[in-house]
Amino acid sequence: MDILEKLRILTDAAKYDVACTSSGVNRKGVKGKLGSANACGICHTFAADGRCISLLKILMTNYCIYDCQYCVNRRSNDVPRAAFTPEEIARLTINFYRRNYIEGLFLSATVIKSPDYTMELLYQTLKYVRKVHHFNGYIHVKAIPGASQELIAATGLLADRMSVNIEMPSAESLALFAPEKTKESILLPMKQIKNGITRSKAEVVRYKHAPSFVPAGQATQLVVGASSDNDRKIVELAEGLYNTYSLKRVFYSAYVPVPTKNKMLPTSRAPLLREHRLYQADFLLRFYGFNSGEIFENSDGSLNMNMDPKCSWAMNNLDKFPVEINKADKMTLLRVPGIGTISADRIAAAQRQGPISFETLKKMGVVLKRAQYFITCGGRMYRQTKLNEDFLTMTLSENKIDERYDQLSLADDFGLSLLPAPAPNFEDELKCLTGQL
Amino acid sequence: MPDRTAVTAVTDGTAEGLLTALYMYYYGNLRPEMVVDGSLPSFQQTLGAEYVFVKTDQISAEKVFNAIESKFSGQTRRCIGLSLLSAAEDKLFDIFRYILLAFKDPKHVDDREQFDFVIRIHKLTRNVGMEAHLLTGFARFKQTSQGVLYAEISPKNNVLSLVMDHFTDRLGNERFVIHDTARGLAGVYDTREYIIAEMPKNLRASFDEDSDEQSWQELWTTFYNTIGIQERKNSKLRRQLSPKYFWKNMTEHQRREHWQ
């Protein structure tokens, strides 16, 4: 099989993995080596589905001993199979990188023979790319659940980011759709990686040249809509992962049906709007100081499809509004619908320089479309409106543009260009504009 | 208050020209109501206005430059540097006022968004910085048989130097040329340092494509076409994130066989 055909098969097999960011680590170029890394991440192109392409995202092989029902690569599925050699991967990476097609390599694999065997294969490949071809760019690699701790530790020293995909948001759905995997087998490597990162950070403080272990942190992915798990369960899981395992990102992927005989899997794809809402909730957790309890206050466990989670929260807490722009601190500002992290920072900075009017807000680029109902400037509201729940529900509801959302929702996946950035420095601003966060 | 007509300062469009105008503000009693770039084709004088032609003076410019270097924060200096690269023709007076304010209040100038020109400078900075950042991803090199990597870009703002800074770090061991076809400039890097010089439009003709180049382009295009999920096609989003004016220099969009 020629390399073109292999690339086609093993790219096709990897495309459902949503994580393709190249952010989180700054590394200067080194004499004698190829490449550098940029903490804000760089998108090299955008695929026809609007997703950022920054890494050469491929599977090492798609021969698999497992039979996870939601996965295209499961052993019972009749798809063409192929396997790359480390040499082929290295040549692709180096040649793509020199032409500036990519920011680095995202190497994943299905489980071939055994978890240890697969992990060893990934390790050997990374070692080859790093040590023989002196590649200094970004590498994201999968940790295989069930592989030995030593292998994961050794691989982590060669990679910038590692991830273990959880896929199914609960132990029950795992048992149902991925019988060979258990919650414990997935969480164990995550814990190992977390401990590795903590240890490495401590060592780097003491010894300047201590090797860094997974400097860009770890991530995971959840499939949404394949199992019956509701939004609350998913967001709570994400919250737990951020808090307990210090994950950098949790990615959500609306289920796209794969050919299967399993009657329990849905035959239609999950709505992209749901994925969009989950990303919004995820951002509330990470950058807006919310917790899952607040997001699901007075809720049946699914996110409101008509308005974003912050709006919904505000509707449940109208007594906390309106907020006076000239007095509110940053955390309060962040809870106002329509005010994001960039705007909150700008307002906080402008507060120190003089009174802020609605005119100033507009000039600063704060979007008043939603915020106007929840704020006052110098004691005045933008228009004479009451904080009335029915009125606000009607005004802020998005359901009239439901269809459009089906198109737009992927924006949240990677093109967060329209959403605010977490911190005021330029890199973060860029990160956000380019969706690399 | 004595009658006086509005004075327009006309510079030669260079950074030094603007710095000289600033020097004249502090030491020559120049109080312009407008600062324009006299080298632009769109520049023309109107009746009733008073024009002061600023003769660029390296020594004055350097004095102002040194003051900026020693007094301003990194962020402020970055804003000045990047907005000077902007393609906006009316940028000079905003930069002029921004620098004046920065000398008055070097610590807080960037927080003072009550002033329109501060907002404007921040906008220009973002715009230029963003374009340079996008090009660090969207620029495409071709392997030439001369052993040099060659890329063409045609940015709206004059971001070549920023792009060169990025690639000299990343591809430090490679010789490469980045050709800004919109301005007829090229950055040339020889593994030690780079220069930016004027180059003819047909610079490309002086290079031959390496024999393997086409097959790598084909591999890349195949990857590009395969990685997208067909069920989630979203052309509008793609266009928003990678505007079409970049596409003419992007390999995957030039070798068209992909599903739309």
Side-chain angles (χ1 to χ4, degrees), chain A residues 29 32-33 35-36 44-46 48-49 95 97-100 103 269 272 275 346 407 426 429 434, chain B residues 78 126 133 136-141 143 167 169-170 173-174 213 216 224 229 231-232 234 252:
Chain A
K33 290 187 180 179
S36 61
H44 282 250
T45 187
F46 290 87
D49 55 15
N95 276 289
Y97 195 86
R98 287 179 71 242
R99 289 168 175 79
N100 202 37
E103 193 63 15
R269 62 181 208 182
L272 292 175
E275 182 187 295
R346 285 200 188 140
Q407 281 283 306
F426 174 72
E429 202 167 304
T434 54
Chain B
R78 184 170 179 278
R126 269 202 299 279
H133 174 78
T136 60
F138 295 162
R140 295 283 177 268
F141 287 101
Q143 180 71 54
F167 284 108
D169 180 49
R170 171 156 294 189
N173 306 304
E174 305 273 350
E213 178 57 28
W216 286 111
Y224 177 80
I229 299 174
E231 291 88 340
R232 303 183 62 153
N234 192 344
E252 61 275 24

Side-chain angles (χ1 to χ4, degrees), chain A residues 249 251 272 275-283 408-419 435, chain B residues 237:
Chain A
R249 286 271 336 231
F251 292 96
L272 292 175
E275 182 187 295
H276 179 70
R277 291 284 180 244
L278 281 167
Y279 273 111
Q280 288 178 320
D282 184 85
F283 269 66
L408 273 177
S409 57
L410 247 176
D412 227 26
D413 207 333
F414 286 99
L416 284 158
S417 54
L418 312 170
L419 290 179
Chain B
L237 182 63

Side-chain angles (χ1 to χ4, degrees), chain B residues 68 72 76-84 95 98-99 121:
Chain B
I68 288 177
F72 293 4
T76 307
R77 277 180 285 146
R78 184 170 179 278
C79 285
I80 298 169
L82 291 202
S83 40
L84 278 168
I95 305 177
Y98 177 80
I99 298 178
I121 295 302

